[in-house]
Amino acid sequence: GNVLQLGDAVFTSVTEAVTLTIKMLGMFCFWSGIMQIAKVSGLTDKISKLLSPILNRIFPSIRNDVETRNAVAMNVTANLLGLGNAATPLGIAAMRRLQAHSENKSVASNDMVLFVVLNTACIRLIPTTAAMLRHEAGAAAPMDILPATVLTSLLSCTIGLIAARAFEGHHYE
């Protein structure tokens, strides 16, 4: 019985959704550009070297493949900064590089599975996207989720990697 109010709510929500999408697109473009500058400037190599002790332990098969390690490192870096949208193209590039190492191209290798787990349950040091959404929703302190985000992402990543290693090599149909 409130058709006029429903119509107003629909149009208001659509307008807010478009506005939020444009703001997120701006942030996505900005961080994608920053990641490209990092690649061109050589910062990618430095970040990769910084993360290499951890990445070499998780992905020993890419230890000598600088391009693959850089692709994985940049995806991990974007996720550490809470830039899930900017991390997506980097993750796709890393997955393609990991697939090149796979013997059977039609089945995900153990490294590919580990990468998906690492990418999905990644550690977020700075929850940039979540903080931006909280800011847009009117939160007084959008970054007050920082301790909970770091703790839960650290735990989920650790448990995910342990589980992936435990089931490594099992094939299910």
Side-chain angles (χ1 to χ4, degrees), residues 149-161:
T149 302
V150 172
L151 179 63
T152 57
S153 64
L154 180 64
L155 287 173
S156 67
C157 188
T158 302
I159 291 167
L161 290 174

Side-chain angles (χ1 to χ4, degrees), residues 55 58-59 72 76 113-122 157 161:
L55 294 179
I58 296 172
F59 304 102
V72 171
V76 168
V113 171
L114 281 170
F115 180 71
V116 168
V117 169
L118 183 65
N119 192 40
T120 304
C122 67
C157 188
L161 290 174

Side-chain angles (χ1 to χ4, degrees), residues 73-130:
M74 290 314 295
N75 174 264
V76 168
T77 301
N79 279 316
L80 284 171
L81 297 174
L83 307 171
N85 291 330
T88 301
L90 299 167
I92 292 169
M95 188 60 83
R96 285 186 177 139
R97 298 283 314 163
L98 289 169
Q99 186 180 30
H101 287 268
S102 181
E103 293 175 21
N104 184 350
K105 306 292 186 218
S106 64
V107 176
S109 68
N110 289 331
D111 281 347
M112 292 168 77
V113 171
L114 281 170
F115 180 71
V116 168
V117 169
L118 183 65
N119 192 40
T120 304
C122 67
I123 300 167
R124 286 186 182 33
L125 298 178
I126 304 171
T128 309
T129 303

Side-chain angles (χ1 to χ4, degrees), residues 24-26 29 31 33 45 56-57 63 68 70-72 76 83-84 94 104 117-118 125 139 164 168:
M24 289 190 70
L25 180 63
C29 291
W31 284 109
D45 294 329
N56 287 344
R57 190 155 175 87
R63 180 170 293 162
T68 301
N70 283 356
V72 171
V76 168
L83 307 171
N104 184 350
V117 169
L118 183 65
L125 298 178
E168 197 170 83

